[in-house]
Structures are given as C-alpha cells and as structure tokens.
Amino acid sequence: MKYIVQISRVFTGILFIISGFIKLNDPLGFSYKLEEYFGADVLNLEFLIPYALGISVIVVVFEVVLGVFLLIGYKPKFTVWSLLLMIVFFTFLTFYSAYFDKVKDCGCFGDALKLTPWESFTKDLVLLVLILILFAGVKYIKPLFSKLPTTIIALFSFILSLWFGYHVLMHLPAIDFRAYKIGSNFQEGMSTPEDAAKAVSEYTWTFNVNGEEQEFVTNGSYPKVDGEYVGVETKVIDEGYVPPIQDFSIESDDEDLTAQFLEVDKLLIVAMYSIPKGELEGVNKLKTFTDNAKSKGYTVIGLTSSGPQDKAQIMQDHNLNFEFYLCDEKVIKTIVRSNPGIVILNKGTVMNKAHWNDIEDIEL
C-alpha cells in the first residue's frame, strides 16, 4: 500500500501542476470556458458569469498549489481532502458536459491539449481513483523536508502562482497555444489539405413498413426500403480534419473583406471583442498609436462583434482614424486575450501581438 500511495502521489501531483499551470498561463481563456458552463443552456448559473475570471484564477492557483503541496507533503490531510473535493467537482462537470453534450471541450488543459468530454471524464475518473488511494493511505504521505523548508516552499508556490496569474492577465499568456500565435498564417490555418481525413457520418432512416416503424442505418445513401419515409437522424462518427482556424472573417455591412485584408503587407488590427467592455485606459492609447502606425505605412482596421452604434460612439469619443469591421466575438477573444488588443499581420502571417498595456513596446 505504501508504494502504491507514493506512485499515486507523484502522478497526481505532477498532473495537477501541469494542468493548473497551463490554465494559469491563460486564466482569461479558462474564464471563458467557465462562462460556457455557467450559461443558461448548461448549468443555468448565469449569476456567476460576472465572477468567472475571479473564480478562474482561484481555481487554477489552487490546482497548482495543491499539486506542489502533495509532492512536498505539506499538510497531507488538508491537501488530500482538497484534492478530493476538487476532483469530485471536475468529474461532475465533465460527466455533465459529456452525457448531455453541452460543452465540447472541458478546458482541462487549456488550448494546449484538446480533450473530448468523454476523454475528460475518463481522465477525471482515473484521478478520482488515485486520490481515493491517497485518501486511504494519507498516513504514508510524509513531508520531504523539515517543517520550515516545507512551509517556505508551500508559501513560495502560492505567491509565485498568484504573481504569474496577475502577470499574464496584465500582458498576454507567456506561452501561446492557440492557432493565432506569432508566426502562424491565417490562410494556412483556415485551409483543408487535399489528403485530409473526411468527416464520417451515420444516418438513421425511419420508414413505416406495413404499419410498423423500422430504422435503417447507412453512411448517407438512401436505403432501398419498401415503405413510407418518416424521417432521418444524422450522427457524426468522426469529424475528420478540422482546420485550426474557423469562423474568422473581416466583414463590413455589405461584404466579406477577409481575403482582401489578409493579402495586405502591413496590417495592424485593433481587436475589441466588445467595445462597451473595452478597458478605458487601453482605448485612450489607441489614437496616438494608430496614427503613428498609419504614418509608417500600416493599414489599420478594428475588429469587433459590437454593433454600429457602439462603433460610431468609440470613433466619435476618441477621434479614431480607422474603421471597425465585424468578426465573431469568440474568435476575437481567441486571437488576443486583451480588450483592446493589437495584432500585426504581414499577408496573413502574425508578426506581433500585444496587450494594450504593452502598446508602447511595439516596434513599428
């Protein structure tokens, strides 16, 4: 039992640290995932949506710290109880999203590793078993060091996690796992290779045969049945190849200008998923920065999901010299974790991106 507990201790501790750090690297991204869970069509806890970011930071810091606590043997009973409560909560969420098909990706490993809901649930079940082993053998979890060094390491891990979370919120994620990271190309990300795997679907046809409804399953072809057609249901068995960049567009009121702008040599995008929710301090910096960019030959545009009235208001209030175009809110949130944020493209390739806090550091 002693050796099983130690193996469970190391595996669980490392997994919690890795999973927590990946989410701590991008707490805004995890907060967006929590907003999905809190939505009316999932858990119907919409009153928690305004607090999603705060909950996100608390959860991921706690996840990292608990992993460290477990490895160094700091307060074993508190640590194991906390791990048990956390994994029960996560297991419930992943089962709920998998069984009811509500959230397609749990966000367990942020954008670094995409897991299906059932894969996430299986992962949490394995962790639950390991933590139950730790719970049963908590007496075998001993500190690696004496009391003072163990306490110092525990405190340092907590302070470091809080600082790192604050740092990436005030700037951008230290590691960008998304399809819009620096060096990626939009056109390549949106394209599908000729030899890419195709989607596989299953069609369940219902026919009335001699007064009795019968089902016939095909891969899409219409079944040869001597009966009256009732209906058909489609189920995706394998999604095949899915381009990493989806739903990105740059649209005016009249046309789609995506292809045109992605061929521009020096394109500077001011990304604001929501104009009313934009950070005022950041918005105040846009006028000087974009005027300077234009003087150096950049084409400057804005991307937002906000309506015409909000666009006109920000242009008037801040005397901005560029036009805002329409793009999906979720896509803009994914492109840059800042509102406003700056993205610089060269013929569709991301050359630079920055939080509004770092506008002064961008070299044009």
Side-chain angles (χ1 to χ4, degrees):
M1 181 65 177
K2 179 179 179 180
Y3 297 107
I4 296 176
V5 169
Q6 298 310 320
I7 293 172
S8 300
R9 171 184 180 178
V10 172
F11 186 83
T12 303
I14 291 175
L15 192 59
F16 263 73
I17 291 173
I18 293 174
S19 173
F21 175 77
I22 290 174
K23 293 195 287 288
L24 187 60
N25 173 68
D26 185 13
L28 262 179
F30 187 54
S31 74
Y32 298 150
K33 186 60 61 178
L34 288 180
E35 288 178 5
E36 284 188 55
Y37 279 113
F38 296 153
D41 58 339
V42 185
L43 295 177
N44 196 24
L45 299 173
E46 292 183 279
F47 68 94
L48 289 177
I49 290 179
Y51 311 105
L53 180 56
I55 295 172
S56 164
V57 173
I58 292 171
V59 169
V60 295
V61 167
F62 202 43
E63 190 173 352
V64 173
V65 168
L66 284 177
V68 174
F69 283 7
L70 183 62
L71 290 180
I72 65 175
Y74 180 75
K75 295 189 178 298
K77 288 185 178 180
F78 166 79
T79 300
V80 172
W81 266 107
S82 299
L83 287 169
L84 183 60
L85 292 174
M86 181 171 279
I87 199 60
V88 167
F89 172 69
F90 283 153
T91 304
F92 163 74
L93 282 185
T94 53
F95 171 77
Y96 187 91
S97 62
Y99 186 80
F100 293 101
D101 196 26
K102 293 292 186 179
V103 180
K104 299 300 182 182
D105 170 34
C106 73
C108 302
F109 292 97
D111 292 292
L113 177 63
K114 298 290 187 180
L115 298 178
T116 66
W118 283 117
E119 288 172 342
S120 301
F121 176 64
T122 303
K123 180 263 300 178
D124 286 341
L125 277 183
V126 172
L127 274 173
L128 179 59
V129 171
L130 293 174
I131 293 172
L132 286 174
I133 292 173
L134 295 173
F135 189 81
V138 68
K139 64 181 179 181
Y140 297 114
I141 302 176
K142 304 296 183 183
L144 293 182
F145 313 102
S146 60
K147 185 175 181 180
L148 181 59
T150 301
T151 303
I152 291 174
I153 294 172
L155 181 61
F156 181 73
S157 68
F158 176 68
I159 294 173
L160 184 62
S161 297
L162 276 181
W163 171 83
F164 184 70
Y166 175 79
H167 175 77
V168 295
L169 282 174
M170 292 298 102
H171 302 280
L172 289 181
I175 306 172
D176 194 345
F177 294 106
R178 287 157 290 152
Y180 303 93
K181 61 182 179 291
I182 294 174
S184 62
N185 181 272
F186 277 54
Q187 292 94 323
E188 291 178 2
M190 291 188 290
S191 63
T192 300
E194 292 183 4
D195 58 347
K198 306 297 182 182
V200 178
S201 298
E202 179 182 271
Y203 293 76
T204 302
W205 306 81
T206 304
F207 285 84
N208 190 318
V209 180
N210 298 325
E212 180 183 352
E213 289 193 354
Q214 297 182 16
E215 293 183 347
F216 301 85
V217 179
T218 73
N219 61 356
S221 58
Y222 193 86
K224 296 180 180 179
V225 179
D226 186 14
E228 180 184 354
Y229 169 77
V230 176
V232 62
E233 291 185 1
T234 306
K235 179 181 179 182
V236 177
I237 304 300
D238 185 352
E239 291 187 347
Y241 177 81
V242 179
I245 295 180
Q246 303 174 61
D247 302 324
F248 174 79
S249 63
I250 304 174
E251 299 178 2
S252 68
D253 293 336
D254 306 313
E255 57 184 327
D256 188 331
L257 302 169
T258 309
Q260 174 184 324
F261 278 118
L262 289 184
E263 289 300 323
V264 174
D265 288 334
K266 298 164 70 175
L267 179 68
L268 190 149
I269 298 175
V270 176
M272 294 188 70
Y273 72 85
S274 170
I275 290 175
K277 294 180 180 179
E279 298 280 352
L280 184 58
E281 187 177 348
V283 175
N284 288 335
K285 294 181 178 183
L286 293 179
K287 171 64 177 173
T288 302
F289 177 72
T290 53
D291 282 351
N292 183 35
K294 279 200 164 187
S295 71
K296 295 187 176 182
Y298 282 82
T299 299
V300 180
I301 64 172
L303 281 186
T304 185
S305 63
S306 297
Q309 187 174 345
D310 290 325
K311 294 178 188 177
Q313 192 66 51
I314 192 174
M315 299 286 290
Q316 178 182 332
D317 292 346
H318 299 274
N319 193 28
L320 299 179
N321 62 348
F322 60 90
E323 186 174 350
F324 276 94
Y325 295 92
L326 186 64
C327 185
D328 179 75
E329 177 178 332
K330 188 174 182 179
V331 172
I332 299 175
K333 285 179 175 180
T334 306
I335 293 173
V336 59
R337 303 296 201 205
S338 178
N339 191 32
I342 303 298
V343 183
I344 297 176
L345 302 181
N346 183 358
K347 291 190 174 181
T349 298
V350 182
M351 308 305 294
N352 201 358
K353 60 199 298 190
H355 191 283
W356 60 261
N357 264 326
D358 302 315
I359 281 181
E360 293 84 359
D361 299 330
I362 298 177
E363 294 184 8
L364 297 172

